[in-house]
Amino acid sequence: MTRTHSRPLQQLGIALRILAAIPGGWAFSWGFVACGTAALVALGAPFHDAETALLMLGLLVFAGVFLWSFAARSVLRVCAVLVGGALLFNAAALLLQRAILS
Amino acid sequence: MFTSFRQSMAWLHTWFGLALGYVLMACFFFGALSVFDREIDRWALPETRFAPQPMPSFDKVLLPAFARLEADPADYALNMPALHDAAKGPQTPRQELPPDEYWAYTTHRDPVLAIGAGFRVPQPKDPGLENHIHANATIDPRSGAAVPSDQLKIGSQWFYPMHYSLNWQWQNMGIFTVGLAGLVMLVALVSGVIMHRKFFREFFTFRPQKQTQRSLLDLHNLTGVVALPFHFFFAFTGLLIFAGFYYFPVSQFQLKPLHDQHEIIEARETGLPHQRAGIPAPLASVDAMMAEAKRRWAARDMAGEVGFLQLHHLGDANGYVSIYRAGSDRVALVGEAIHFKASSGEVLREEPPRAAVPALNEFLTGLHLQHFEHWLLRWLYVLGGLLGCACIATGFIFFVEKRKRQHAAAGSPGARVVDALAVGCVTGMVIAAVGMLVVNRLLPAGLSGKGEWEQQIFWGLWLLAFVHAALRGAPVAQARINPAWREQCWAIAALALAAVLLNWLSTGDHLLQTIILEPYWAVAGVDLSLLAAAGLAALAARRLARREQRALLSPSAAPETEVVHA
C-alpha cells in the first residue's frame, strides 16, 4: 500500500473511488439492468425472462465496475463514465419503454 | 495514487475484506448451519421429532386448519390502516376479514407443515393491489393441530434468516448490508486471485510448520482457492435471489408500466383470473385435484409429491387452485404447476416446461437453496461454508499478525481492535449459536415468549463475547496472542457438550437412542456436530495455550519475514 495517510488529496481520491464503486456502480448497473430489460422486451422476449437475464448480467457488471473503480488510473474518468452511463441507460430504458407501450 | 494495478487490487482486497469480512463471516457460518435448518428445528422443538410427512388431505386436515386461522394482529395493526379506504366506512374488525388465499408448503425434510392465509381487505383504497392481511401457522399434518407459535424454529426462523438478513429488519438494512458484503465477496475473490503472483505454484501450498504469518497466508489462499467456485457461486446466486426484489427492482420502478402490461398479457394467456369476479362459488374437492395432479405428473414420468398448494380468490367464481410438484428430485424448487378451477375441479392450465433463461435462473437459485434430496451434497455445502469461514478468519488473523509488531512499536491500537473484533465474530458467533441451543433446552417448553428469550440471549452472549475479547486484548498491543481466543474456544467446548447433555436430560434422546435404538438422524446429526465442534474447540484451545507459552518463553523472537501481500 502506498503511504497515502499524510496526503489529503490522495485520501480524497480513495473516498471518490469508494463512492464511485458503491453508489456509482449501483446506479450504473441499475441503469444497465433497466435498459437491457427494455431492449430485450423490445426484441420480443417475455418481460420476466428479459429481467432475469439482465439481473444476472447486472450483478457481474456491478462487480466489474466496482473493480474498475479501483483499478483505473483516473478516478475522474471513472466517475464520469459511471454517472454518465447511469443517466444514459436510465433515459434509454424510459424511451424504449415508451416506444414499446405506445 | 496506486502505483500499480496489483497494488490497487491489494488495497481493495485488504480494506473491503476487513470492513465487510465480519458480515461475510456471519453469512457463511449461518449459511452453513442453514443447510440443516430443519434438522436444527427438530432438535430445538422436541415435540416435532417425528418422520417427514407428505402433504396431508386437504378436505379432512387442511381445510379445518385453515378455517381456524385469524389475521395476524401485528400485520393488521401495521397494514390495515394503509390498505383500507376510510371514506367507505369503518375498518372491518380483524377477526371478520374474509379469507382470499390459502397456501401450504412442505419439503422432503419437514415433519410439520407451514401454512398461511391472506385475508382480504373488503374496502380497499386501490382495488388493483393484492390487499392482503396475512396469517402464518405451523401444524402437525397428521392431526391438523397447531404447533405453538411462540416457540422459535431456531434453524429455519433464526439461523436461516441470519445468513441473508442478519435478522436486522429495519428498512431491510440487513438484506442490503449482506448484499454489499456479497458483492465485496465477488470482488475480493477476483482481486485475491490477481494479487497472487505465483498463483499456480501456491495453488496447494500449505506450510503449517513455517512461521505463523506464512502458514496463515497459505491457509487463507488454500481455503480461498480450493473452494473458489463454491464461494463465487454462493455469493453470486445469493445476490441473484434478492436482486429482482431488493437490489435492482426495476420492475417496480421505472419499468413498472412495462411489467404491469406483461402481467395482463400473461393473465390472458394463462387464463388464470387476476381478480375476483364478485360472484360467490363453492369449493370442489381439492383432494381430487391433488390426485389428478399426481396422475398427470406420473404420466410425465416424474416423482409426484405435492410441495406447494395455493388457493386463490377463495369462495369466488374466479377462484382457482394451484398445485406445484415438490422439488426433491431436481435442483429447481417447486414446479410443474397444474391449475384447477376451484368450483368445479376442471384443469385450467398445465404449465409448460420453462424457457431457457428462467430455467437457468431456477437452476442457479435452486442450487443455492437446495431443497432437493441429496445428503452428500448437503454435507459438502456445510464443508464449503466452513471453508469460507476459515478463509475469512485467516484473513483477519493475517491482517493482525502482519501489523501487530509494527503497531506495538508505534503504540497504535489498530491491530488490537481488529483482533478483538475477529475474536468476537469468529468464536463469539459460535458461542452465541451454541449458547442459544443450550438456553433452548434450559427454558421450560411452556414458557410464554420462549422464542423471544432465546433471541435476546443469543444477542446477549454475542455481545458478551465482543466485550470479553476487547477486555482481554492487551497482549496484542505487545505483539502477543489475545488469550480470549483460547478462553472462548473452551467456552464453545463447554457449551456444545452441555447442549448434548441437556438434550439427553430434557428429552431422553441420547445418541444411543437416536442412532441405534430408534434412529432419528435429524437430532443425532445435530448432537454429533455439537460433539465435533466441542472436540475441535478443545483441540484449538490446547494448541493456542502451547503457542502462548512459547511466545512467553521467547519474548524477543526474531521479527518474522515480511511477506509480499497487501
Side-chain angles (χ1 to χ4, degrees), chain B residues 414-472:
Chain B
R416 180 176 172 180
V417 171
V418 171
D419 184 75
L421 288 172
V423 175
C425 90
V426 177
T427 50
M429 188 155 60
V430 186
I431 287 177
V434 180
M436 189 181 197
L437 293 180
V438 170
V439 169
N440 167 274
R441 290 294 81 225
L442 283 175
L443 294 176
L447 180 73
S448 86
K450 185 180 176 193
E452 282 293 316
W453 279 105
E454 288 164 354
Q455 293 171 26
Q456 299 306 327
I457 289 168
F458 173 90
W459 291 125
L461 283 171
W462 203 344
L463 187 67
L464 214 62
F466 275 109
V467 172
H468 170 245
L471 292 178
R472 298 287 278 156

Side-chain angles (χ1 to χ4, degrees), chain B residues 14-29:
Chain B
T14 305
W15 296 102
F16 275 96
L18 181 70
L20 284 148
Y22 300 107
V23 178
L24 284 173
M25 193 75 195
C27 301
F28 273 88
F29 178 66

Side-chain angles (χ1 to χ4, degrees), chain B residues 498-545:
Chain B
V500 176
L501 279 176
L502 284 168
N503 176 42
W504 176 6
L505 291 175
S506 59
T507 67
D509 283 348
H510 51 77
L511 278 168
L512 214 59
Q513 174 80 11
T514 50
I515 295 176
I516 296 164
L517 297 176
E518 226 178 299
Y520 195 75
W521 282 103
V523 170
V526 175
D527 271 348
L528 288 172
S529 306
L530 283 166
L531 289 179
L536 277 175
L539 195 71
R542 293 192 51 175
R543 297 199 64 160
L544 281 165

Side-chain angles (χ1 to χ4, degrees), chain B residues 124-140:
Chain B
K125 269 186 202 138
D126 180 355
L129 295 178
E130 196 181 39
N131 296 304
H132 278 173
I133 305 291
H134 298 95
N136 294 303
T138 303
I139 61 165
D140 181 338

Side-chain angles (χ1 to χ4, degrees), chain B residues 230-245:
Chain B
F230 177 90
H231 299 326
F232 195 92
F233 176 84
F234 273 84
F236 177 72
T237 52
L239 287 166
L240 184 59
I241 290 167
F242 286 108
F245 204 77

Side-chain angles (χ1 to χ4, degrees), chain B residues 102-269:
Chain B
Y102 288 150
W103 60 263
Y105 176 61
T106 192
T107 74
H108 70 278
R109 287 156 61 225
D110 284 299
V112 289
L113 180 69
I115 64 169
F119 291 89
R120 187 160 55 87
V121 177
Q123 292 152 323
K125 269 186 202 138
D126 180 355
L129 295 178
E130 196 181 39
N131 296 304
H132 278 173
I133 305 291
H134 298 95
N136 294 303
T138 303
I139 61 165
D140 181 338
R142 300 168 304 181
S143 64
V147 175
S149 62
D150 59 352
Q151 292 199 15
L152 182 69
K153 292 176 187 160
I154 290 182
S156 56
Q157 288 177 340
W158 189 252
F159 293 163
Y160 173 61
M162 181 69 80
H163 102 279
Y164 63 79
S165 75
L166 311 173
N167 286 319
W168 182 16
Q169 279 102 3
W170 182 74
Q171 300 288 326
N172 295 317
M173 280 308 288
I175 289 179
F176 284 107
T177 309
V178 168
L180 181 59
L183 184 73
V184 165
M185 184 77 198
L186 297 182
V187 165
L189 289 169
V190 175
S191 55
V193 169
I194 294 168
M195 282 160 74
H196 264 295
R197 273 155 223 258
K198 300 165 235 163
F199 186 77
F200 285 100
R201 195 199 297 171
E202 291 183 356
F203 203 84
F204 290 107
T205 313
F206 181 40
R207 289 157 281 189
Q209 303 311 328
K210 284 261 182 164
Q211 278 150 334
T212 316
Q213 199 175 318
R214 185 67 246 179
S215 43
L216 265 174
L217 187 58
D218 285 346
L219 199 57
H220 182 63
N221 296 343
L222 186 77
T223 49
V225 170
V226 167
L228 188 77
F230 177 90
H231 299 326
F232 195 92
F233 176 84
F234 273 84
F236 177 72
T237 52
L239 287 166
L240 184 59
I241 290 167
F242 286 108
F245 204 77
Y246 292 103
Y247 307 142
F248 300 124
V250 291
S251 65
Q252 296 309 311
F253 283 86
Q254 74 265 55
L255 295 188
K256 190 163 176 14
L258 204 55
H259 169 259
D260 291 352
Q261 186 215 31
H262 173 78
E263 295 287 288
I264 296 166
I265 295 172
E266 195 179 52
R268 203 186 306 140
E269 274 175 6

Side-chain angles (χ1 to χ4, degrees), chain B residues 18 22 216 393-404 407 412-428 465-486 488 544 548:
Chain B
L18 181 70
Y22 300 107
L216 265 174
T394 47
F396 289 146
I397 302 169
F398 177 76
F399 182 97
V400 173
E401 289 295 320
K402 188 173 151 65
R403 288 164 182 80
K404 71 180 183 186
H407 286 192
S412 152
R416 180 176 172 180
V417 171
V418 171
D419 184 75
L421 288 172
V423 175
C425 90
V426 177
T427 50
F466 275 109
V467 172
H468 170 245
L471 292 178
R472 298 287 278 156
V476 181
Q478 294 149 23
R480 285 188 286 122
I481 298 175
N482 187 341
W485 284 107
R486 173 174 45 81
Q488 296 201 4
L544 281 165
E548 282 173 57

